[in-house]
Amino acid sequence: MSDALDAWLDRAVLEPGDLDPGEAEVLVLGEFNHFIHEKSDFRIAMAREARRLGFGIWAEELGWSDGRRLARYFETRNEAVFDRLALFGWRGEARQDRDDRPTGIFRASLETYPFDLMRAEQTRFYRALSPKALHGFDVAAGHDGGYVDLFARLDATGAPQAWRAALARRPGETLAEETARLTALAAEAPAGLDRLARADLSALIDGLTYTGLVKTAATYAETAPAMAFREDAMKRRLASIRALSPGRLVLMGHALHLVRDDAAIAAAGIVGPGGGRTTSLGHHLGQELGQALFIVWMIYGEGEDSQPLQDLPRRTDFGPHTLNARLAARFDRPVLLDAREAPDAPVRIAQMYNTEIETRLPGVVDALWFCPRVSPLQP
């Protein structure tokens, strides 16, 4: 394997402009860590390639409402939009009569989540991006702008007043009551309700449902039902995105949400995308819908991140058996590698929390962006 790997690396480096996804409908940019500074460098470089290749629709692993607001940013370039994004810590539309924040395993991370640093890094990326459209495909936790988005759309489209009024929050209702009420109203939606309003309502219901599932989970294993629901909600969001914004699509998110075939990835001990109970979003696209994907993964050799879970490591401890370590011994600068002709043998790839996956590169990933050293998010 060592000789074959070295022979591949001798010819694998791609120069800017070499990336060729052929007729792929979807360009996947999968990162193994959201909380590193160099992630933005990867995305900005890939944005230049995507623009050159004619990919104009973007979808990111963030809440639907945040995506709706970011669409307004790209229309106006008014950065006041950033003040009202849940990704950046906005809670101004949270209910005042109850607290839906997690009480279990994710409670502590609310105090340590690097909202300001995330804002700085994401802003750097958004300033460099010029999409035809951008959407969020993740669930949100019920304190984003989902209600405001929905009512603004209903006002614009003239939905029946009685049905519209029934959607409004009711003082004192429980999370389960709120979710059930909206679900029943969605089933009674007027025939003339447009696609965007339906998508807004579906995303709002999914966010509340996910909140109920994840809120009290006391261990990572107990989050599996919530992770499964989340993954299937992502599939619903992506269906809405494809209907609302047809065209060549760029998908950005954690790499394990966006794999071509789940069976090609072994990730023992990780409660990850789908929670082991449903297929990943990438598998859904590539295997169940048969869409042509071109997948680029960002991996790295060593460094430190800003992830907020204090019981999990922030500093890398990647063993010499990993592909990460092999690449770090070879490259001292970021490089883009053609993975399609890599040796067809199992490799171990390390990621955030020092967890590992095992896979074969050919047929799983088309290109690798390798960064020798990464650093925490920066202001």
Side-chain angles (χ1 to χ4, degrees):
M1 171 62 178
S2 179
D3 290 344
L5 185 68
D6 287 339
W8 166 59
L9 292 176
D10 285 341
R11 62 180 188 276
V13 176
L14 297 172
E15 298 300 327
D18 286 347
L19 201 68
D20 181 11
E23 299 301 313
E25 304 164 64
V26 183
L27 173 62
V28 172
L29 305 181
E31 66 223 23
F32 281 98
N33 196 324
H34 299 312
F35 299 97
I36 50 177
H37 170 67
E38 290 73 15
K39 174 193 76 173
S40 298
D41 297 334
F42 164 61
R43 288 182 167 189
I44 290 169
M46 290 298 101
R48 290 194 292 266
E49 290 295 289
R51 186 165 51 246
R52 177 181 66 83
L53 294 165
F55 289 86
I57 311 301
W58 289 71
E60 183 176 6
E61 187 186 335
L62 77 165
W64 180 262
S65 177
D66 278 2
R68 295 270 273 117
R69 295 179 181 203
L70 281 166
R72 293 197 284 277
Y73 164 71
F74 288 112
E75 291 171 1
T76 66
R77 294 292 173 172
N78 182 351
E79 296 193 0
V81 168
F82 299 152
D83 295 335
R84 300 173 70 86
L85 296 184
L87 179 65
F88 300 162
W90 169 250
R91 290 190 55 84
E93 288 158 21
R95 291 188 70 124
Q96 300 302 304
D97 56 347
R98 70 167 194 254
D99 187 353
D100 288 342
R101 291 176 295 178
T103 59
I105 191 70
F106 293 138
R107 178 67 181 187
S109 66
L110 294 177
E111 307 302 325
T112 55
Y113 194 94
F115 288 113
D116 290 344
L117 294 175
M118 185 62 74
R119 174 170 178 160
E121 292 285 3
Q122 292 287 115
T123 297
R124 180 163 72 96
F125 168 60
Y126 294 143
R127 287 171 178 162
L129 189 63
S130 299
K132 294 179 181 176
L134 182 138
H135 300 271
F137 63 82
D138 204 355
V139 294
H143 61 263
D144 64 354
Y147 271 100
V148 172
D149 298 334
L150 175 59
F151 284 121
R153 188 64 188 171
L154 295 177
D155 287 344
T157 55
Q161 182 60 34
W163 184 79
R164 182 189 183 286
L167 290 167
R169 284 171 167 168
R170 295 180 180 176
E173 67 185 344
T174 66
L175 176 58
E177 289 168 344
E178 182 180 9
T179 306
R181 175 176 56 81
L182 293 179
T183 300
L185 288 166
E188 301 168 0
L193 195 66
D194 77 352
R195 185 174 282 145
L196 181 53
R198 291 180 185 275
D200 286 343
L201 179 54
S202 175
L204 177 56
I205 293 168
D206 280 349
L208 292 168
T209 304
Y210 170 78
T211 299
L213 289 169
V214 80
K215 180 178 170 64
T216 61
T219 66
Y220 293 113
E222 289 179 17
T223 68
M227 295 302 107
F229 180 86
R230 177 190 179 197
E231 204 72 17
D232 286 338
M234 287 181 172
K235 298 166 191 174
R236 290 188 284 276
R237 298 295 81 73
L238 196 61
S240 294
I241 290 166
R242 298 301 264 163
L244 291 164
S245 300
R248 300 187 87 186
L249 174 70
V250 181
L251 273 182
M252 297 181 292
H254 191 283
L256 295 186
H257 286 298
L258 303 174
V259 300
R260 182 178 278 114
D261 183 351
D262 291 344
I265 308 291
I270 300 174
V271 180
R277 302 182 178 204
T278 191
T279 58
S280 72
L281 176 62
H283 182 99
H284 173 67
L285 283 174
Q287 303 302 313
E288 296 168 6
L289 298 184
Q291 295 195 0
L293 312 179
F294 188 90
I295 298 177
V296 185
W297 281 353
M298 177 191 176
I299 67 173
Y300 53 95
E302 62 178 350
E304 188 175 354
D305 65 27
S306 302
Q307 67 84 13
L309 299 172
Q310 293 183 310
D311 59 327
L312 296 175
R314 290 180 172 173
R315 187 175 295 277
T316 58
D317 184 18
F318 297 167
H321 63 285
T322 63
L323 179 63
N324 313 63
R326 293 293 306 276
L327 295 179
R330 179 72 176 253
F331 300 107
D332 60 1
R333 62 181 178 87
V335 290
L336 182 63
L337 304 170
D338 189 337
R340 291 169 292 188
E341 296 183 7
D344 189 14
V347 293
R348 304 284 295 185
I349 297 176
Q351 60 156 343
M352 63 189 306
Y353 316 134
N354 294 325
T355 58
E356 295 180 8
I357 67 166
E358 183 174 277
T359 192
R360 298 170 184 263
L361 297 180
V364 174
V365 59
D366 300 295
L368 294 174
W369 173 281
F370 174 71
C371 186
R373 185 171 185 82
V374 297
S375 54
L377 301 176
Q378 296 181 18

